[in-house]
Amino acid sequence: DRVELAAKKASFEKITHEAKELISKVKEHSGILLSEYETDDETDVGLSSRERKAIFDKIKTIHVSGAIAHSRFTLLDYEKNPQVLKKGAMYDGNIHGKFLKMAKIFSSSTHCRKPIRIIGKTSHKCIRAYPSFELIPFLIIDNAVKYSYPDNPVEVIFTESDPDLFVEIKSFGPICTDDEMKRIFEKGFRGKNAESTNQGSGIGLFFVKILCDLHNIDISVFSEGPIVNINSMEYTKFVVRLRCKNVYKP
């Protein structure tokens, strides 16, 4: 039985590794396509603006799908070896640039049926970051898009207060009680109202907290504004707040 169990485990790990490699290639090459498609001269492609946009939106959807799957495999790797999040050389991580990139990628993909607004002055401030840093804006925006009410915008607001940079991600979603807020970074936890939406699995903010701790970023969540009842569900503005400490211009 032990031999058979070990063989099954080895087979599962091999399949998981192969699947992750394939997903990584989908994410990588769709990202390359996005970059090339943005810079291509429209006259060289031989397509109308409408046709170009339709193709561009499909590429975005492929890229977001690949990135979501890749983030789940990264979490699996983390649970086996936490050091995986430190894989790769550190670099100057431009916080505003990463959020702007993710907002553009999500916009027009089929994963996002609402506008994503970047608010505040463009900041060139950076933190020392591992390659895993880019999962922070991706997972937070993915979470906001997932739970927010249809057609309501997701806002990403930047405020500088030397030596720190604050980022607030605001979305209009199902209300969380104070007790639920205290548990929001627990693995697999979802508030009562969030569970009724059949969205998410309770691992997004759990993983974001781990990544923020790794990069010395303070993260907090809270609600603000009035409570609105829609179809017997209470909604309010949900805010994820990041304090990126000791940022600098490279």
Side-chain angles (χ1 to χ4, degrees), residues 147 149 172-175 226-230 233-237:
Y147 288 109
Y149 193 74
F172 188 67
I175 194 169
I227 297 172
V228 180
N229 192 299
I230 304 174
M233 174 83 75
E234 289 185 324
Y235 288 82
T236 192
K237 189 156 283 189

Side-chain angles (χ1 to χ4, degrees), residues 95 99 127 133 136 140 164-169 185 205 208-222 239-247:
I95 304 156
F99 271 96
I127 61 169
F133 169 68
I136 294 175
I140 294 177
D164 303 329
L165 175 65
F166 294 88
V167 189
E168 290 188 341
I169 301 88
F185 296 119
L205 290 181
V208 167
K209 179 68 167 62
I210 291 168
L211 290 159
C212 284
D213 289 346
L214 177 65
H215 290 90
N216 196 29
I217 296 171
D218 291 340
I219 180 171
S220 57
V221 295
F222 57 92
V239 185
V240 177
R241 189 171 193 256
L242 305 180
R243 178 192 174 201
C244 305
K245 295 176 281 189
N246 299 314
V247 296

Side-chain angles (χ1 to χ4, degrees), residues 3-247:
V3 173
E4 183 179 353
L5 184 61
K8 286 182 178 179
K9 183 180 178 181
S11 178
F12 174 77
E13 289 183 350
K14 182 180 179 182
I15 292 170
T16 301
H17 177 74
E18 289 177 351
K20 182 186 176 185
E21 290 298 311
L22 289 170
I23 289 296
S24 295
K25 288 181 180 179
V26 170
K27 177 175 173 286
E28 177 188 355
H29 290 289
S30 59
I32 292 170
L33 274 175
L34 284 175
S35 298
E36 291 181 349
Y37 218 74
E38 276 189 316
T39 56
D40 274 349
D41 186 346
E42 191 170 320
T43 58
D44 290 342
V45 181
L47 298 171
S48 68
S49 297
R50 184 175 180 179
E51 289 170 327
R52 281 178 58 84
K53 184 179 184 305
I55 294 172
F56 196 46
D57 290 349
K58 286 182 174 65
I59 297 172
K60 284 182 179 179
T61 298
I62 293 168
H63 186 72
V64 171
S65 299
I68 290 172
H70 187 265
S71 72
R72 303 308 187 254
F73 278 112
T74 302
L75 178 57
L76 283 175
D77 286 345
Y78 165 79
E79 292 185 328
K80 290 187 291 184
N81 175 20
Q83 295 302 310
V84 73
L85 298 183
K86 295 182 179 181
K87 184 179 179 180
M90 297 190 78
Y91 68 103
D92 298 321
N94 184 294
I95 304 156
H96 186 280
K98 290 295 183 185
F99 271 96
L100 180 61
K101 175 185 174 183
M102 293 304 165
K104 286 182 176 180
I105 289 172
F106 266 93
S107 297
S108 302
S109 78
T110 57
H111 293 277
C112 183
R113 298 295 186 185
K114 58 209 70 177
I116 301 174
R117 298 173 181 164
I118 303 292
I119 300 171
K121 293 182 179 178
T122 299
S123 172
H124 299 288
K125 296 292 181 69
C126 297
I127 61 169
R128 289 298 290 167
Y130 294 100
S132 61
F133 169 68
E134 72 172 23
L135 282 170
I136 294 175
F138 176 82
L139 290 171
I140 294 177
I141 291 177
D142 178 45
N143 192 75
V145 165
K146 206 174 284 178
Y147 288 109
S148 59
Y149 193 74
D151 299 324
N152 275 263
V154 172
E155 298 176 335
V156 183
I157 304 167
F158 289 86
T159 308
E160 284 194 38
S161 179
D162 285 336
D164 303 329
L165 175 65
F166 294 88
V167 189
E168 290 188 341
I169 301 88
K170 299 185 177 184
S171 56
F172 188 67
I175 194 169
C176 282
T177 66
D178 290 341
D179 287 339
E180 289 173 339
M181 286 287 191
K182 294 174 183 176
R183 300 185 59 195
I184 202 121
F185 296 119
E186 292 181 15
K187 183 181 178 182
F189 178 78
R190 299 165 70 214
K192 181 180 177 182
N193 287 326
E195 285 183 345
S196 66
T197 65
N198 295 318
Q199 295 286 340
S201 55
I203 62 172
L205 290 181
F206 160 76
F207 201 18
V208 167
K209 179 68 167 62
I210 291 168
L211 290 159
C212 284
D213 289 346
L214 177 65
H215 290 90
N216 196 29
I217 296 171
D218 291 340
I219 180 171
S220 57
V221 295
F222 57 92
S223 295
E224 66 177 21
I227 297 172
V228 180
N229 192 299
I230 304 174
N231 298 326
S232 301
M233 174 83 75
E234 289 185 324
Y235 288 82
T236 192
K237 189 156 283 189
F238 181 79
V239 185
V240 177
R241 189 171 193 256
L242 305 180
R243 178 192 174 201
C244 305
K245 295 176 281 189
N246 299 314
V247 296

